[in-house]
Amino acid sequence: MSGAFIKQILKGTIIGVANIIPGVSGGTLAVSMGIYDQIIESITQFFKQPKKSIITLLPYGIGAVIGIIGLSFCIEWLFKYFPLATNLFFIGLIIGSLPILYRKVQGQGKKGSHILAFLIMFAMVVGMCFMKDTKPTQEVLSISLGGGIELFFVGVIAAATMVIPGVSGSMILALMGFYLPIIETINSCIKSLVIFDWATCITTGITLVPFGLGIVIGTFLIAKMIEFLLKRCETLVYWAIIGLVVGSPIAILITSGVVVNGIFSLVTATLCFILGSFIAYNLAQ
């Protein structure tokens, strides 16, 4: 296994972990690590160049699965006992990418439309985080025609938020009341698979099928839309993405609600921020 392949798996792992944490955007971290355009192109060209797309997406997909399944419990523990340090690590991953991201628009000039796109996206991602206090009723997942259709569209929405940088898919699911039910259903499916409880595994798996289909179809459609925009107004799109990326650390701090508890906590968090920035900057090279 080559070093480049392992590096790609690591990037996918970071994206996978980010997608299960409310307030953190997997799309933002894909931009941060310089692989966003590559992933979007591979998704949109999948039916035209399936072999090339699979080769490109495979390591990121493996990493994402590792991040979502293998590291979810570890991340949950870190957020429970070291919330400030963990949040600042992810903020470092985002901030560390800005110099590389700015190169996308450097020398292209700054128009009023560019600044407006930046401000609108910045305000959107920061404003969205205040909606977390609404505390929606948790939905109940069911195997029925109506429930399946609803879960399909929830999957499409989740896909859109995962693909669009700066928007946290898990936060949107939480606002809709689907985050905990879906996470609990996934965990139930995995646990039943481990203990060979096939009846529970099949039941929970069937419940999640519409959601999975929504994610697959939604990812393809949104990726097509972003590819279309990048071809016609690339600089404008990147100014909008920069607005989302700059707003993301503020949104994370607001939604996390963490506070500094002593000098040790502050020093640890600062070191984690520096480490995250260092990792992001080097992974984006």
Side-chain angles (χ1 to χ4, degrees), residues 36-37 40-41 43-45 163 219-238:
Y36 185 73
D37 292 1
I40 292 295
E41 182 181 358
I43 293 172
T44 57
Q45 299 300 312
V163 173
T219 299
F220 181 78
L221 293 177
I222 300 301
K224 275 288 187 184
M225 181 190 75
I226 291 175
E227 183 186 48
F228 174 85
L229 292 172
L230 283 172
K231 285 181 178 179
R232 282 155 181 79
C233 46
E234 182 179 10
T235 303
L236 180 66
V237 171
Y238 268 102

Side-chain angles (χ1 to χ4, degrees), residues 23-43:
V24 182
S25 167
T28 297
L29 291 178
V31 171
S32 300
M33 293 180 289
I35 58 174
Y36 185 73
D37 292 1
Q38 184 184 21
I39 290 176
I40 292 295
E41 182 181 358
S42 297
I43 293 172

Side-chain angles (χ1 to χ4, degrees), residues 136-142 150 154 173 176-182 184:
T137 302
Q138 299 302 319
E139 300 292 334
V140 177
L141 307 188
S142 62
E150 183 180 41
V154 169
L173 289 177
M176 296 170 63
F178 281 94
Y179 179 71
L180 284 178
I182 288 174
E184 289 170 356

Side-chain angles (χ1 to χ4, degrees), residues 56 81 83 102 191 212 228-229 236 251 253:
T56 301
Y81 293 103
Y102 184 70
K191 290 176 182 177
F228 174 85
L229 292 172
L236 180 66
L253 289 176

Side-chain angles (χ1 to χ4, degrees), residues 109-214:
K110 295 183 181 70
K111 299 179 181 179
S113 58
H114 298 161
I115 304 303
L116 183 61
F118 171 88
L119 293 175
I120 289 174
M121 294 299 103
F122 176 86
M124 185 190 77
V125 72
V126 174
M128 191 188 310
C129 67
F130 289 104
M131 298 172 60
K132 192 178 179 183
D133 295 329
T134 53
K135 294 181 181 178
T137 302
Q138 299 302 319
E139 300 292 334
V140 177
L141 307 188
S142 62
I143 304 177
S144 65
L145 179 60
I149 293 173
E150 183 180 41
L151 268 180
F152 173 81
F153 284 106
V154 169
V156 172
I157 294 171
T161 56
M162 286 188 287
V163 173
I164 299 172
V167 184
S168 169
S170 49
M171 181 189 289
I172 296 298
L173 289 177
L175 292 172
M176 296 170 63
F178 281 94
Y179 179 71
L180 284 178
I182 288 174
I183 289 296
E184 289 170 356
T185 304
I186 292 173
N187 287 338
S188 175
C189 184
I190 293 172
K191 290 176 182 177
S192 59
L193 180 63
V194 170
I195 63 174
F196 303 108
D197 181 359
W198 301 114
T200 303
C201 182
I202 292 171
T203 301
T204 52
I206 291 174
T207 304
L208 293 169
V209 166
F211 179 72
L213 288 174

